[in-house]
Amino acid sequence: MNKKVIISAACLVVGVVLGCLVWMLVRQNRATQEATQQIAELQLMNEQLQLTNEYDELSASFTQHEGQMVLFNNDSIRAEYEAAKNKVEELRQELKRRDKLSSERIAQLQAEIATLKQIMRHYVEQINELNQQNQELRQKNETLEQQNNQLSSQVQSTARENKVLTEKMVLAEKLNVSSVSLTALKGNGKNEKNITKAKQLMVTFTIPQNNSTPVGKKTIYLRITSPEGNLLSGNGIHFTFEGATLEASAQKVVEYEGQEIAGVKIYWDVNATLNPGSYRVELFADNYRLASRNFEMKK
């Protein structure tokens, strides 16, 4: 084999080897580019997925604090809040509609969400501050309510005490009677033991001394109730007691000077036969019941 043939064969072999190497390098470079592109696409998809999750979380945060917007009585703040919330929803919908986003758009969305998160943090801080203020106001209101309740209790207690004192003072001024008795009389004014033969009934009592009772004329009304529960009526005598108009059996006017008046007598003329039994005697004056006694009258 001559030298030229050998050289030609060697060059051919070298050419083939170099061609193979070049082809392998080109293929490897293409594979590397494809792998790099796939990695970039996967990275973009991952970033887009993360953005979707972050926007979902931010939207949920806006929804969570929706009910607390009533704390803001500033229309401008409410408008800003609504604008931010609507912006979040708009971007969420964009992420749902589009399968792929460019790296530039993802970067824009990342900047947007960073701004919206900052806005959300600002609102949460304001809401927490307002809640704290409201809590302090509630505590103050509870303290004031307790103080008002205590004051109201004191006022009611004082009112009750004053009422008791007033009632005691009024009672102290009331005309008193003692030694009340009921006696049946004959026609000549002497005592009659048999009630069925009585011509008159006499009620006797004493008005004790009472410096608290106003002096002056006192009209004393007498009511006598028979054992049958019937009033022994008089000559159309009426008086008022506790808002009601009552009929009296008899009445008597006395001049009270603050001193004891013993042996005061009021008479009732018998106009029908009386039966034995328990008779109730009541005395009234100045809208007070002065006495109520039961007496057993025999035949």
Side-chain angles (χ1 to χ4, degrees), residues 190-242:
K190 293 185 178 181
N191 291 356
E192 175 61 71
K193 293 182 179 179
N194 188 343
I195 187 64
T196 62
K197 297 180 180 180
K199 301 300 180 181
Q200 268 189 329
L201 293 180
M202 178 181 68
V203 174
T204 306
F205 56 91
T206 297
I207 301 176
Q209 177 181 347
N210 186 351
N211 295 330
S212 298
T213 302
V215 298
K217 290 185 178 181
K218 304 290 181 181
T219 302
I220 300 175
Y221 298 94
L222 167 67
R223 280 171 60 91
I224 304 175
T225 306
S226 70
E228 295 80 18
N230 300 319
L231 175 71
L232 305 183
S233 59
N235 298 320
I237 303 171
H238 293 84
F239 66 99
T240 58
F241 175 67
E242 294 183 349

Side-chain angles (χ1 to χ4, degrees), residues 122-179:
H122 175 65
Y123 285 127
V124 170
E125 289 173 359
Q126 287 186 300
I127 288 171
N128 291 338
E129 183 178 349
L130 289 172
N131 282 330
Q132 179 63 31
Q133 292 175 359
N134 288 339
Q135 179 64 25
E136 292 173 357
L137 286 174
R138 280 194 293 269
Q139 291 175 350
K140 288 180 181 178
N141 288 336
E142 289 175 359
T143 301
L144 288 174
E145 185 177 357
Q146 291 175 355
Q147 292 175 349
N148 288 336
N149 290 337
Q150 291 175 355
L151 182 59
S152 177
S153 298
Q154 291 174 358
V155 169
Q156 292 176 1
S157 177
T158 302
R160 286 193 295 268
E161 292 174 358
N162 289 339
K163 183 179 178 182
V164 171
L165 289 174
T166 301
E167 291 174 348
K168 287 182 178 179
M169 289 176 64
V170 172
L171 289 174
E173 295 177 353
K174 187 183 79 168
L175 192 71
N176 294 317
V177 296
S178 62
S179 304

Side-chain angles (χ1 to χ4, degrees), residues 20 24 134 186 196 203 240 283 298:
C20 289
M24 289 178 64
N134 288 339
K186 298 179 180 180
T196 62
V203 174
T240 58
L283 296 171
K298 299 181 180 179

Side-chain angles (χ1 to χ4, degrees), residues 233-238 247-250 268-269 271:
S233 59
N235 298 320
I237 303 171
H238 293 84
E247 184 179 359
S249 303
W268 180 78
D269 294 330
N271 51 27

Side-chain angles (χ1 to χ4, degrees), residues 248-263:
S249 303
Q251 68 179 7
K252 182 163 188 171
V253 178
V254 297
E255 188 72 32
Y256 183 69
E257 299 295 341
Q259 303 299 318
E260 179 181 297
I261 305 176

Side-chain angles (χ1 to χ4, degrees), residues 31-45:
T32 302
Q33 288 178 350
E34 289 177 356
T36 302
Q37 185 176 355
Q38 288 178 354
I39 292 172
E41 289 179 355
L42 288 174
Q43 185 175 354
L44 285 174
M45 290 175 62

Side-chain angles (χ1 to χ4, degrees), residues 90 92-99:
E90 177 187 335
R92 280 183 70 236
Q93 294 303 322
E94 179 182 347
L95 287 167
K96 287 182 179 180
R97 289 193 305 269
R98 300 177 64 174
D99 294 334

